[in-house]
Amino acid sequence: MSFDLVFFGGTGDLTWRKLMPALFQAFRHGKLPAGGRILAVARDERSDDAYRAFIKERFSEVESSKRPTDDEFDRFAELLHYRRMDLSHPEDYTGLKQWIDERGADTAVLYLATSPHLFPVICEQLGAAGLNAPHIRVVLEKPLGHDLKSAQEINRVVRSVFREEQAFRIDHYLGKPSVQNLMALRFGNALFEPLWRRESIANIQITLAESLGVGTRGDFYDRTGALRDMVQNHALQLLTMIAMEPPSTSDADAIRDEKLKVLKSLKPFTPESVARDVIRGQYRAGNVGGQAVPGYQQEVKVPEGSHCETFVALRTEVQNWRWAGVPFYLRTGKRLAARDSQIVVNFRQVPHPIFPGSQRANKLVIKLQPEDGLELHLLAAKGSGTSDSLAPVSLDLDFDKAFAAERVGAYERLLLDAIAGRLNLFVRSDEQEQAWRWVEPVLDAWSRESSGGGEGPRGYAAGSWGPAAASALVARDGFAWSEEQ
């Protein structure tokens, strides 16, 4: 299948740091379809060879196992092309259309790796130039909007140019092999489905923790914050995959219909429940990995007195028959004690204990990063003959070891899916808007608090697990975060 893949923002960080290395890995693994061209567009004036040299230099910053040899890069570079474009000039889009039409590839994928505020401008110009034929797809990188209103405006413009099945809203978390295994775990095995409900499960915890700070992205991050950056998209997508009903088929819309039902079933926030069930924090100076690190307000380009949250923990419920009364705890933050993303399914205690001693409930840990696998925590008899008490044991499955030769990275998988037209791991517009609709009361409450001279986020020491109030949030229901159990 011949294809043209066009990157708007072809010299930007996302393109050279994430997208080009992912494409090279697909090329190295022999998974990139033959007959492809990769075109980078940006405002700079440069030749194809100059752009290839630029990308080759940037590959030196990729981890060593993923760097191409000179021979590999020379072969990969034959696919790379560059075109100067001013995104506000209609004639430049006409020239791009001629470049795409001259070969007549089976598929053209237009990847908008630009600031989201440019999405409406680019899409309108693409429509005016006729770059919206059925074989053309557009990929929209997050964040898709800053709030519900801006997201709806982006989607309005996209829908005025492209059909829904041509729009690929990307959330790179959905491309992670471990996240794909959520579907396999739920719907490819009969073992857990009878237990996947309120009668057996006490609570579910989703943690997306980073040990890094905001680095040099202080100006961007301060306009975004942890709720927009991680909860509205990544964490909610994971929640939907955990809580959704079995879809009738593996068709993209069948899956996305069920995810939308979960989003619509989430308990809505009120000003009172935001104050009670949502904790926001901001990291202060501390110690991470034996190194002293500054607080958020001492980071580059962060404005003095900022109320931007770098940590969020919240409690919610899915209000349907399967999950009624089961608390879902979501937590994300920067400068936490470890880089650790996982989903913990805590099962209920046995109804009538017959063994002596304290007994832990079973739990299933779905590890997303840095490891990728499953842990099932059980209780077993020691077999020592001196006591009937039970001891905790775990079954540990490492997917990286089990499938070492077949694993692909998130962006590699999503780029290949976009080329092939597979929508399963992309977000539909109604999903995205419903997620914004659910978090908007939280944003509104925080905005009112800040404008009214409120205290703002709670401080927490870098290298900790966030504000103490996050632990109290879970303890209120008689539970604890996984590292505190």
Side-chain angles (χ1 to χ4, degrees):
M1 179 186 70
S2 60
F3 70 91
D4 287 330
L5 177 55
V6 181
F7 289 123
F8 291 82
T11 57
D13 276 13
L14 176 64
T15 300
W16 65 258
R17 194 184 299 278
K18 297 288 187 182
L19 303 178
M20 285 297 179
L23 281 172
F24 169 71
Q25 292 305 314
F27 175 81
R28 171 184 269 177
H29 297 153
K31 296 182 178 180
L32 198 63
R37 294 188 302 180
I38 302 166
L39 176 68
V41 302
R43 296 187 67 169
D44 306 345
E45 190 70 64
R46 63 180 82 193
S47 65
D48 288 353
D49 287 340
Y51 183 74
R52 291 163 183 161
F54 166 79
I55 293 297
K56 185 174 185 178
E57 182 180 351
R58 292 301 182 274
F59 268 125
S60 65
E61 300 180 31
V62 176
E63 60 181 276
S64 57
S65 64
K66 295 183 178 180
R67 291 177 197 160
T69 64
D70 287 344
D71 179 63
E72 284 178 322
F73 184 81
D74 287 345
R75 288 186 285 114
F76 177 68
E78 292 177 4
L79 308 180
L80 302 183
H81 304 270
Y82 181 84
R83 187 178 187 90
R84 183 191 177 282
M85 278 188 66
D86 186 319
L87 299 182
S88 63
H89 289 181
E91 61 271 19
D92 287 355
Y93 290 85
T94 302
L96 175 63
K97 185 177 188 300
Q98 292 172 349
W99 187 87
I100 290 174
D101 288 349
E102 71 185 14
R103 193 169 70 116
D106 297 326
T107 299
V109 178
L110 311 178
Y111 196 120
L112 308 193
T114 67
S115 175
H117 78 272
L118 293 173
F119 291 175
V121 172
I122 297 172
C123 287
E124 287 173 346
Q125 295 281 10
L126 291 172
L131 280 166
N132 58 347
H135 73 292
I136 292 178
R137 297 165 192 143
V138 62
V139 180
L140 305 166
E141 181 67 46
K142 85 160 189 88
L144 287 166
H146 192 72
D147 53 19
L148 176 60
K149 183 178 179 180
S150 58
Q152 289 174 325
E153 176 59 18
I154 290 173
N155 285 331
R156 183 194 67 78
V157 174
V158 172
R159 279 194 292 265
S160 72
V161 178
F162 298 98
R163 301 189 313 278
E164 180 65 40
E165 59 268 27
Q166 291 177 276
F168 288 65
R169 296 168 187 83
I170 200 165
D171 183 331
H172 73 269
Y173 254 72
L174 298 184
K176 291 178 180 290
S178 49
V179 176
Q180 296 161 39
N181 265 308
L182 286 177
M183 295 288 287
L185 176 74
R186 292 273 330 265
F187 308 125
N189 298 281
L191 182 63
F192 289 110
E193 183 55 31
L195 307 178
W196 215 258
R197 58 193 67 247
R198 62 186 303 273
E199 291 83 1
S200 300
I201 292 175
N203 68 86
I204 293 178
Q205 303 175 9
I206 299 175
T207 295
L208 305 176
E210 299 179 72
S211 57
L212 295 174
V214 297
T216 59
R217 298 168 65 240
D219 54 347
F220 163 78
Y221 194 87
D222 204 73
R223 298 191 303 270
T224 306
L227 188 72
R228 291 183 175 95
D229 191 42
M230 297 295 288
V231 175
Q232 183 272 334
N233 38 65
H234 304 327
L236 282 186
Q237 283 294 317
L238 294 176
L239 188 156
T240 61
M241 296 179 81
I242 282 288
M244 66 190 280
E245 294 298 315
S248 57
T249 68
S250 61
D251 177 73
D253 276 333
I255 293 170
R256 297 191 295 183
D257 286 345
E258 298 302 334
K259 289 163 64 182
L260 180 62
K261 290 177 186 177
V262 174
L263 291 170
K264 289 184 173 181
S265 299
L266 287 175
K267 188 175 183 178
F269 283 111
T270 64
E272 294 74 23
S273 66
V274 170
R276 182 184 66 243
D277 294 336
V278 184
I279 306 298
R280 61 169 170 161
Q282 186 184 96
Y283 66 83
R284 305 293 189 249
N287 192 291
V288 176
Q291 298 289 325
V293 296
Y296 175 72
Q297 295 197 30
Q298 286 73 55
E299 299 280 20
V300 178
K301 299 179 182 178
V302 171
E304 183 179 355
S306 169
H307 278 193
C308 176
E309 80 283 357
T310 63
F311 175 94
V312 175
L314 62 84
R315 179 195 190 278
T316 190
E317 295 180 17
V318 179
Q319 297 180 311
N320 61 20
W321 275 42
R322 181 185 289 265
W323 296 112
V326 176
F328 285 72
Y329 304 106
L330 277 58
R331 174 177 62 165
T332 185
K334 289 190 174 293
R335 285 294 187 211
L336 296 182
R339 177 175 176 258
D340 184 24
S341 295
Q342 62 178 17
I343 301 167
V344 180
V345 180
N346 288 300
F347 291 91
R348 297 189 183 279
Q349 294 275 8
V350 294
H352 176 65
I354 62 173
F355 295 96
S358 61
Q359 297 180 24
R360 299 180 183 178
N362 303 140
K363 68 178 179 180
L364 174 66
V365 181
I366 303 165
K367 297 184 290 186
L368 307 177
Q369 67 179 25
E371 295 89 7
D372 176 11
L374 296 174
E375 284 181 4
L376 182 60
H377 293 252
L378 308 168
L379 293 172
K382 295 180 181 179
S384 62
T386 59
S387 171
D388 290 333
S389 62
L390 303 181
V393 295
S394 63
L395 303 176
D396 191 351
L397 173 61
D398 186 328
F399 288 130
D400 285 328
K401 292 180 180 177
F403 307 116
E406 300 171 39
R407 309 294 270 170
V408 299
Y411 272 111
E412 180 181 349
R413 168 65 188 267
L414 293 171
L415 284 165
L416 291 174
D417 280 1
I419 293 169
R422 293 186 291 263
L423 282 159
N424 298 49
L425 299 178
F426 295 85
V427 180
R428 202 167 60 192
S429 61
D430 51 1
E431 281 184 84
Q432 178 219 352
E433 291 179 15
Q434 184 61 33
W436 275 117
R437 192 171 287 112
W438 185 71
V439 303
E440 193 147 79
V442 181
L443 294 169
D444 290 344
W446 289 349
S447 178
R448 287 193 300 270
E449 181 183 325
S450 296
S451 61
E455 294 182 1
R458 303 167 190 261
Y460 64 94
S464 70
W465 279 106
S471 296
L473 173 72
V474 181
R476 194 175 67 211
D477 295 325
F479 304 124
W481 293 108
S482 56
E483 74 276 0
E484 299 170 343
Q485 293 173 2

